[in-house]
Amino acid sequence: MSIPLSPYLERELRSDHAGETGAVSIYLGIAAVAKWRGNREMLALAQMHGKTEAEHLAGVETWLPAAKRSALLGPWRLAGWLTGALPALFGTHAVYATIAAVETFVDQHYQQQIDHLVRQGGPEGLLALLRKCQADEQHHRDEAAALAGPARHWLLTAWCWMVGWGSEAAVVLARRV
């Protein structure tokens, strides 16, 4: 779109674009391992959620000009792929817990942006896009959390904490670069 964005919205959309790029890669990593392991359940989840994340990425790309996107898209893709592939090596329980951890952070991240737009206003249509993305991410989080269940090995708990922390750190960096 050719609508000028405030510096705040430009930074936030750059972080959204980087995040959705990473999210697409998370599901590519899960799908690669699921195919290798012959796990149809995990593959179906990766394909379904990956399609939704690709739609989010396309939506953000309509708002953020290519010149304003993160210069670190390659590392975001690699980090996303590893964030999906590594837990997939340990099975569906680890995948579900990882998705729940990522989407918990993403829900909060989108909520901050939505709150800003509600208070400050913004370009018409952007709020609707962010609300749609947030609703999809909440659905992914809730579905994954229900499938993961409450029991977690300490190593998986530590992994999920690292994923949440890494997501937060990635947003801070993507806002700048």
Side-chain angles (χ1 to χ4, degrees):
M1 294 204 163
S2 59
I3 296 173
L5 298 168
S6 69
Y8 170 82
L9 288 177
E10 188 177 287
R11 285 190 304 271
E12 291 304 306
L13 287 173
R14 183 171 37 255
S15 73
D16 293 346
H17 183 267
E20 295 298 349
T21 297
V24 167
S25 295
I26 286 172
Y27 291 108
L28 290 173
I30 293 169
V33 173
K35 285 178 189 175
W36 175 68
R37 292 184 68 178
N39 187 325
R40 290 187 177 139
E41 176 188 350
M42 196 185 310
L43 181 58
L45 175 97
Q47 290 171 336
M48 181 177 60
H49 286 210
K51 181 180 178 209
T52 304
E53 301 298 350
E55 290 168 1
H56 294 174
L57 180 58
V60 173
E61 285 179 343
T62 66
W63 285 93
L64 188 66
K68 301 293 185 177
R69 296 175 188 162
S70 176
L72 302 174
L73 291 179
W76 300 141
R77 287 182 185 101
L78 177 60
W81 196 90
L82 291 171
T83 301
L86 291 175
L89 291 170
F90 294 92
T92 54
H93 181 74
V95 167
Y96 295 141
T98 300
I99 292 169
V102 169
E103 300 298 18
T104 295
F105 171 79
V106 174
D107 175 35
Q108 296 165 358
H109 179 65
Y110 275 130
Q111 188 62 53
Q112 291 170 348
Q113 296 170 5
I114 289 166
D115 291 345
H116 174 84
L117 287 172
V118 168
R119 282 190 315 271
Q120 305 293 324
E124 189 170 331
L126 182 56
L127 181 59
L129 172 67
L130 296 180
R131 283 183 169 155
K132 166 78 169 96
C133 290
Q134 182 189 38
D136 290 341
E137 306 297 8
Q138 289 169 337
H139 174 72
H140 289 175
R141 177 201 61 209
D142 295 347
E143 176 187 38
L147 291 167
R152 291 206 180 139
H153 186 275
W154 70 268
L155 191 56
L156 183 55
T157 299
W159 166 255
C160 289
W161 178 86
M162 279 186 5
V163 166
W165 180 86
S167 297
E168 190 172 337
V171 164
V172 170
L173 187 56
R175 284 177 177 147
R176 297 174 186 190
V177 184

